[in-house]
C-alpha cells in the first residue's frame, strides 16, 4: 500500500474491499447472480470413424431442460467432453452417472459419441459459478492511487468464457488512463472505473441475462425481450452460418453487441419453435 500506484489483480477472492473498509472507505455495491450452474469435464480419445460434425454443443432450454453439453476436439486427437447442469441439477463426477447424465440431454448425439470412447482423465467438476459485479463508479470516496481490475471487479460465470477477454480489455483501459492522467492520481481511479464500467457492461448484460433465465423467478420486461431476442439468434445460428459467425463475434468480443441488430442479421432471425 506504500506504492505510488497499486493495481489489485488478485481475482475473485480479492481482499481489497475489506482493506478499504478498514481505512474508512465505503465498499462498492455489488450485483450478484447465481443460476446454480455446474459443469463436469473429462478427456476422451476420439474414436475412429466418420462424423459429419467436428464439434457439438447441446444447449440448455430452461425451464424445460437445465442440462447441456459441449464436445470439443483438442490436441492429440482428444475430445474435452463437458456436461453442464443449472438450477442445482449438477452433472456428476462418477463414471456411470456421467454417462447417464449425457444420455438425458435433449439430443442423443453427445451420448452416442462418448459412450464407447476411451476416457483419458478423471471427471473434473466445477460449481462456483456465481457472477458478481462491483459498482466502483458509484463510490464518492476512493483512494486515487489504487485500482482493482479483472475478477476483483467483475467475475463472470465461467461457462460464458468472457473473463480473460474482459480482464485484458480492463488492462488496455488502465494503460490508456495511465498515459493520460498519471500526474493527477485522484482523477485516475475515477476515470478508470468509468471506462471499466463501459467495458464490463455488455458482457455483464449477456451473462447475467442468460443466468437470469434460471435464477430470477419474476422476469422483468427488458429481460424477457433480451431472452426472446437471444432465443432467435441461437436458434437461427444453428442453421445459418452467417448468424452463427455474428453471434460468436459478439460472444468473443471482437464485434460490438449491436452488430447483431444490423438488418442482414435482424431480418434473418427465425422464431424458436
Ligand atoms: C473454472 C474456470 C474456467 C474459466 N474458463 C474461462 C474461459 O474459458 N475463458 C475465459 O475468458 N475466462 C474463463 N474463466 C475466467 C478467467 O479465468 C478469469 O476471468 C480471469 O482469469 C481473471 O483474471 P484476473 O487476473 O482478474 O484473476 P486470476 O486469473 O484469478 O488471477 C489472480 C491471481 O492472483 C493471485 N493472488 C490472489 N491473492 C494473492 C495475494 N494475496 N498475493 C499474491 N497473489 C495473489 C492468484 O493466485 C492468481 O494467480 C474461467 C474461470 C474459472 C474459475
Amino acid at each position: 500500500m506504500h506504492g505510488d500506484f497499486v493495481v489489485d489483480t488478485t481475482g475473485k477472492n480479492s481482499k481489497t474491499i475489506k482493506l478499504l473498509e478498514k481505512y474508512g472507505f465505503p465498499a462498492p455495491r455489488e450485483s450478484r447472480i447465481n443460476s446454480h450452474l455446474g459443469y463436469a469435464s473429462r478427456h476422451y480419445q476420439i474414436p475412429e470413424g466418420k462424423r459429419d460434425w467436428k464439434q457439438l454443443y447441446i444447449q440448455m432450454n430452461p425451464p424445460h431442460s437445465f442440462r447441456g453439453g459441449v464436445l470439443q476436439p483438442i490436441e492429440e486427437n482428444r475430445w474435452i467432453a463437458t456436461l453442464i447442469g443449472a438450477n442445482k441439477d449438477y452433472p456428476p463426477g462418477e463414471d456411470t452417472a456421467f454417462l447417464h447424465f449425457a444420455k438425458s440431454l435433449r439430443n442423443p448425439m453427445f451420448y452416442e459419441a462418448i459412450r464407447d470412447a476411451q476416457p483419458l482423465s478423471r471427471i473434473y467438476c466445477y460449481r462456483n459459478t456465481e457472477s458478481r459485479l462491483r459498482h466502483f463508479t458509484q463510490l464518492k470516496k476512493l483512494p486515487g492511487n489504487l485500482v482493482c481490475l479483472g475478477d476483483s471487479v467483475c467475475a463472470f460465470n465461467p461457462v460464458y468464457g468472457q473473463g480473460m477477454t474482459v480482464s485484458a480489455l480492463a488492462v488496455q483501459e488502465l494503460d490508456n488512463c495511465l498515459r493520460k492522467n498519471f500526474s493527477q492520481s485522484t482523477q485516475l481511479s475515477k476515470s478508470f472505473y468509468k471506462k471499466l464500467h463501459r467495458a464490463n457492461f455488455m458482457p455483464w448484460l449477456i451473462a447475467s441475462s442468460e443466468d437470469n433465465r434460471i435464477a430470477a423467478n419474476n422476469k422483468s420486461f427488458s429481460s424477457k425481450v433480451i431472452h426472446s431476442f437471444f432465443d432467435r439468434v441461437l436458434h437461427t445460428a444453428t442453421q445459418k452460418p452467417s448468424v452463427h459467425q455474428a453471434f460468436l463475434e459478439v460472444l468473443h468480443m471482437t464485434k460490438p453487441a449491436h452488430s447483431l441488430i444490423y438488418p442482414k442479421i435482424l431480418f434473418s432471425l427465425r422464431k424458436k419453435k
Side-chain angles (χ1 to χ4, degrees), residues 9-12 39 126 149-152 156 158 161-165 167:
T9 60
T10 56
K12 203 170 180 177
Y39 47 91
Y126 190 77
L149 55 76
D151 277 15
S152 69
F156 297 95
Q162 298 165 307
M164 286 190 279
T165 309
S167 299

